[in-house]
Amino acid sequence: PSSNPNPSSSSSSTPAPPTPMPMPMPMPASTPSPSQHANSTNAPPPEYARAAAGTESSLLPSSGTPSTSSGSEDSEEFIAFARVFCGTLRRGQKLYILGPRYNPQFPKQYVHEVEVDHLFLLMGRSLEPINEVPAGNVFGVGGGVGEVVLKTATLCSAPLSGTFKGMRFVSAPIVRVAVEPHNPADLPLLVKGLKLLNQADPSVEVLVSDSGEHVVIASGELHLERCMTDLKEVYCKGVEILVSPPIIPFRETVSREVQVQQPPSADGVAGEKRNYVEQRTPNKAITLRMKVLPLPDNIALFLEKNAEMMKSIVTGTDTASQEPITSLRARLHEELKAAGPSWAQEIDNIWGLGPRRIGPNVLLNHVPGYHDSPLWHSVFERPGLGARKVASRKSASATVAARKQAMQHFLDEQNATPNDTADSFHRLDGTDLETGSVTTDAESERASETDSRDMSEHDAADESAADGVRRKDEVILDLDNSIVNGFQLACIAGPLCEEQVNGVCFILEDIIFKDGTKTDSGDDSHGPISGQIISTTKNACRNAVQSGGPRLVEAVYDCEVQVNAEALGNVYAVLGKRRARILREGMKEGTPIFSIQAHLPVVESFGFNTSLLKKTSGAANTQLLFNGRWVQIDQDPYFELQTEEDLEEHGTNLAALGNNVARMYMDKVRRRKGLFVDEKIVEHAEKQRNLSKKK
């Protein structure tokens, strides 16, 4: 039988003692006691009862089982590549396989019991059967273990211990292709082969896209080529597979604040500039004012690193303790303070994160009268929000009643008459509850002099003002989920080329309601108001991005090239042609080898290794790693010469500007997705001929 272990997944760490200690992979949180196996007839000696093996890498395909196998020669199985950290593993021993999501609090979930039928010693391309494996050895385990493990797992003699932490690979998958069978009847075989490929390679990702396509995501060009070769020759034998061209994802962001020039008035006066955009619902009853800002890099990076914890918070799965929520909120508050004093006070105004409620985009609530309302809840308070709506509304009613009681008590102490009260209910500090304006002493005196209504009329005015405040808060609260959903849709697909938005802060400045606006479904010809708010919020976010200097963001590799001095110039030529950014360069001590470290765009990496070998006659050695780094393209995809300053700087010749790389990539993505592309197409062009012939 043949095996091809991944060299990057091998481990050279020393055997771990039974007690936890610093090591490349953590020990289980708890281990079973030897007394738990004392009454078992097949139990190993007590000193070997605590056996655990962490599956460190991919599962290795074995074409044909060894002679010790009970199967036929044509049978195939997966061999798990594992290492014993504690105890001794023997053939015939029953083990529990704990998946990565195993939780000791729920011992029956993500647990499989198997019997170890085969143990192998990995000897190059051969597998040598053995009977037992002591601690510290790397080995192969068969007998159904490889069929259960997906990527990584923990093997133990009792399902009471914790699991090993999942492996972290240097390079993350970024290049994706869509695969489909040439014959639709072979689709089940392709799906089965993709599952096997997903098990065998720890660095590959296999998923089904929203459009129903089967997508394979690899780390790079060579990794993708190897995956497709294994899929066609090993896992899907006899199936003709169609592979799409490689797809490189982009992201979208903004470079500045929104700047919207208002149209001139009828008198010819130039319109003012606004820092927000307005978007109305289809029924013209509600207007949203949206503003965008570039999100500071430290905040965006913090949200990306803590995406899993944020997911457990916003979905409500981690509700056993408030400590993770409090800790994450405190750390995010520190990042906001580090970003500047204007960001420090926004911790309680975070309405949502996107896309999918955990991404590096933020929606802030600046709606007057709502962000400081008792009905408002930030993203850290939203788990279980539905159960608190009734209580929040009751607390709001109690707050208004308390304010009215305090005002009446103040009037009683001052021996005030009903005519001394203003025509509308005010707070003690002079702030009108309905309009939010502050009433001065002079205005109060003029109001008291002109007011001749009795006490009953004042009470009616008080009730109407209080109901007006509650009415607006309740309307916005009913539309809360629709606003968040529209924000999520805008983050998933940006306005440039329907790619994910990254590092953008959306600020909802205000929500303006037309008189008589109803939030119930009613008989609106434009559909339910909730659906109108979703589409309006989405369009408002997209228009704000368009007005905020949109930019494309591309993924980049960490590139390292090693070459001798004779071919150094050719290496710089190849890197410069592919828009690589040189970071560091120098000669390695004691060798004639130059080492160049650079950032290479992923979209420019196809054919890079081949071109480099040709230019240097095989003298260069390169390594490409993607660690999640994204870099903004400085060029504006919509740049055009419009002002006199642009003409003076660049001239009238557009060719002098060079190629607009951002526009080129944007058009390619839009063309691939079937979106509209603004370009001039000339077909059957010929030189114009004169009608008259020369004599």
Side-chain angles (χ1 to χ4, degrees):
S2 62
S3 63
N4 184 20
N6 190 352
S8 63
S9 60
S10 61
S11 175
S12 60
S13 56
T14 58
T19 57
M21 63 176 294
M23 56 187 305
M25 296 184 65
M27 288 294 297
S30 60
T31 54
S33 174
S35 61
Q36 295 174 352
H37 300 279
N39 299 327
S40 177
T41 58
N42 298 327
E47 60 269 22
Y48 300 127
R50 293 179 290 181
T55 304
E56 291 188 23
S57 180
S58 62
L59 305 179
L60 309 177
S62 176
S63 57
T65 55
S67 58
T68 58
S69 175
S70 59
S72 61
E73 293 183 357
D74 296 334
S75 62
E76 293 182 352
E77 66 174 348
F78 272 110
I79 305 299
F81 181 67
R83 178 177 183 264
V84 177
F85 283 88
C86 182
T88 300
L89 181 63
R90 293 179 173 85
R91 285 186 56 191
Q93 185 176 356
K94 291 185 178 181
L95 296 178
Y96 293 93
I97 301 179
L98 310 182
R101 302 176 62 183
Y102 173 77
N103 189 348
Q105 297 179 356
F106 306 98
K108 295 184 179 181
Q109 296 182 2
Y110 308 107
V111 178
H112 299 274
E113 184 179 3
V114 297
E115 182 177 352
V116 179
D117 295 336
H118 310 296
L119 295 176
F120 304 106
L121 184 63
L122 306 177
M123 301 293 292
R125 296 183 60 87
S126 63
L127 301 176
E128 297 295 333
I130 54 179
N131 294 326
E132 63 179 25
V133 182
N137 288 275
V138 177
F139 65 100
V141 55
V145 176
E147 303 298 331
V148 177
V149 179
L150 178 58
K151 295 285 188 181
T152 60
T154 301
L155 309 181
C156 61
S157 55
L160 300 177
S161 62
T163 59
F164 288 114
K165 194 173 183 179
M167 290 195 64
R168 293 183 179 181
F169 298 95
V170 178
S171 183
I174 185 63
V175 181
R176 60 182 61 195
V177 293
V179 295
E180 61 179 354
H182 185 271
N183 185 5
D186 296 333
L187 182 60
L189 297 177
L190 177 62
V191 173
K192 182 180 179 181
L194 290 175
K195 291 182 179 179
L196 296 177
L197 175 65
N198 191 31
Q199 283 185 282
D201 195 330
S203 298
V204 75
E205 291 185 6
V206 178
L207 52 89
V208 180
S209 64
D210 296 337
S211 59
E213 295 179 320
H214 294 275
V215 179
V216 178
I217 311 177
S219 300
E221 181 184 11
L222 299 180
H223 184 210
L224 179 63
E225 182 181 353
R226 181 60 185 175
C227 291
M228 292 297 102
T229 302
D230 292 343
L231 184 63
K232 296 177 181 179
E233 298 179 358
V234 179
Y235 308 117
C236 292
K237 293 180 180 179
V239 178
E240 186 177 356
I241 300 176
L242 302 179
V243 183
S244 68
I247 300 173
I248 307 299
F250 288 89
R251 293 184 179 180
E252 304 180 19
T253 187
V254 295
S255 60
R256 53 176 172 81
E257 190 179 0
V258 174
Q259 296 180 4
V260 180
Q261 182 68 42
Q262 294 298 310
S265 61
D267 300 336
V269 180
E272 61 179 0
K273 288 186 177 181
R274 298 185 309 190
N275 61 349
Y276 60 86
V277 296
E278 288 188 351
Q279 189 73 27
R280 292 185 179 180
T281 56
N283 61 0
K284 310 298 182 184
I286 303 176
T287 302
L288 303 182
R289 290 182 176 178
M290 188 68 66
K291 176 182 177 181
V292 296
L293 290 173
L295 194 65
D297 295 338
N298 63 322
I299 301 177
L301 184 61
F302 175 83
L303 294 177
E304 287 183 344
K305 288 184 177 180
N306 297 273
E308 292 299 328
M309 183 179 295
M310 185 63 67
K311 182 179 180 181
S312 64
I313 292 176
V314 299
T315 57
T317 57
D318 191 5
T319 57
S321 173
Q322 291 292 327
E323 184 177 355
I325 301 178
T326 305
S327 175
L328 184 63
R329 184 184 183 279
R331 288 187 292 153
L332 180 57
H333 195 194
E334 294 297 328
E335 296 293 338
L336 290 172
K337 291 180 179 178
S342 60
W343 292 92
Q345 57 187 358
E346 301 293 348
I347 185 64
D348 293 327
N349 294 333
I350 300 179
W351 205 330
L353 305 175
R356 299 174 182 88
R357 303 200 292 174
I358 57 173
N361 302 289
V362 178
L363 175 64
L364 298 182
N365 177 18
H366 284 188
V367 180
Y370 184 59
H371 70 280
D372 55 354
S373 170
L375 301 180
W376 157 251
H377 294 86
S378 66
V379 68
F380 298 100
E381 302 170 346
R382 288 186 175 272
L385 176 60
R388 295 198 301 261
K389 283 187 177 180
V390 177
S392 298
R393 290 174 180 173
K394 290 182 179 180
S395 63
S397 302
T399 302
V400 175
R403 290 173 179 173
K404 292 179 61 178
Q405 184 178 1
M407 183 63 181
Q408 186 63 38
H409 180 69
F410 174 76
L411 294 178
D412 293 341
E413 289 183 351
Q414 298 294 330
N415 297 324
T417 61
N419 290 334
D420 293 334
T421 311
D423 58 346
S424 61
F425 184 76
H426 292 77
R427 297 178 183 171
L428 295 180
D429 57 357
T431 305
D432 192 341
L433 287 180
E434 182 176 7
T435 62
S437 60
V438 179
T439 305
T440 61
D441 295 339
E443 292 175 348
S444 300
E445 293 178 358
R446 289 193 298 267
S448 60
E449 291 176 358
T450 57
D451 190 5
S452 58
R453 288 177 293 183
D454 55 5
M455 189 62 181
S456 60
E457 293 176 345
H458 291 298
D459 292 338
D462 296 345
E463 288 290 342
S464 63
D467 291 341
V469 174
R470 291 180 56 203
R471 173 64 179 174
K472 184 176 180 179
D473 291 351
E474 291 180 355
V475 169
I476 299 178
L477 181 62
D478 293 338
L479 303 177
D480 188 287
N481 291 332
S482 299
I483 295 174
V484 174
N485 291 335
F487 161 72
Q488 299 294 335
L489 294 177
C491 292
I492 293 175
L496 292 181
C497 50
E498 302 290 341
E499 291 290 317
Q500 177 181 321
V501 178
N502 181 73
V504 178
C505 177
F506 296 88
I507 304 175
L508 187 57
E509 292 288 339
D510 197 3
I511 302 178
I512 303 174
F513 295 94
K514 189 178 179 181
D515 295 340
T517 302
K518 298 181 180 180
T519 58
D520 53 358
S521 57
D523 297 331
D524 196 334
S525 60
H526 298 88
I529 192 64
S530 59
Q532 297 185 44
I533 289 295
I534 292 176
S535 60
T536 303
T537 305
K538 175 186 175 182
N539 295 334
C541 294
R542 291 169 65 94
N543 293 339
V545 172
Q546 286 278 36
S547 303
R551 295 290 187 272
L552 276 182
V553 183
E554 61 180 355
V556 296
Y557 280 127
D558 289 340
C559 175
E560 183 178 0
V561 181
Q562 296 180 359
V563 65
N564 53 29
E566 289 77 7
L568 188 60
N570 294 331
V571 172
Y572 282 111
V574 175
L575 292 175
K577 185 178 180 181
R578 296 178 180 270
R579 299 190 299 108
R581 179 189 174 193
I582 307 297
L583 300 179
R584 289 179 295 274
E585 55 187 353
M587 179 179 292
K588 289 191 173 182
E589 296 182 2
T591 63
I593 302 299
F594 278 88
S595 178
I596 303 173
Q597 297 182 4
H599 284 166
L600 178 67
V602 177
V603 70
E604 300 284 354
S605 64
F606 290 91
F608 171 72
N609 191 27
T610 303
S611 176
L612 193 63
L613 292 177
K614 288 182 179 180
K615 292 292 184 180
T616 60
S617 300
N621 182 21
T622 182
Q623 184 178 15
L624 301 177
L625 299 175
F626 178 70
N627 59 357
R629 189 185 305 276
W630 297 81
V631 177
Q632 177 180 319
I633 302 178
D634 295 332
Q635 291 178 315
D636 185 1
Y638 295 117
F639 177 76
E640 293 181 358
L641 299 177
Q642 296 179 349
T643 62
E644 295 182 358
E645 290 78 4
D646 294 338
L647 294 175
E648 292 178 359
E649 181 179 357
H650 302 288
T652 58
N653 185 11
L654 294 179
L657 298 176
N659 295 329
N660 192 335
V661 179
R663 182 60 178 265
M664 179 180 62
Y665 290 152
M666 183 185 71
D667 291 343
K668 284 184 178 180
V669 176
R670 294 184 66 90
R671 194 178 294 108
R672 173 173 56 84
K673 294 183 177 181
L675 304 175
F676 172 75
V677 179
D678 187 11
E679 61 180 353
K680 295 181 180 179
I681 301 177
V682 180
E683 296 181 357
H684 310 294
E686 295 181 358
K687 183 179 179 180
Q688 183 178 3
R689 297 179 180 178
N690 296 330
L691 297 178
S692 60
K693 296 182 180 180
K694 293 182 179 180
K695 297 182 180 179

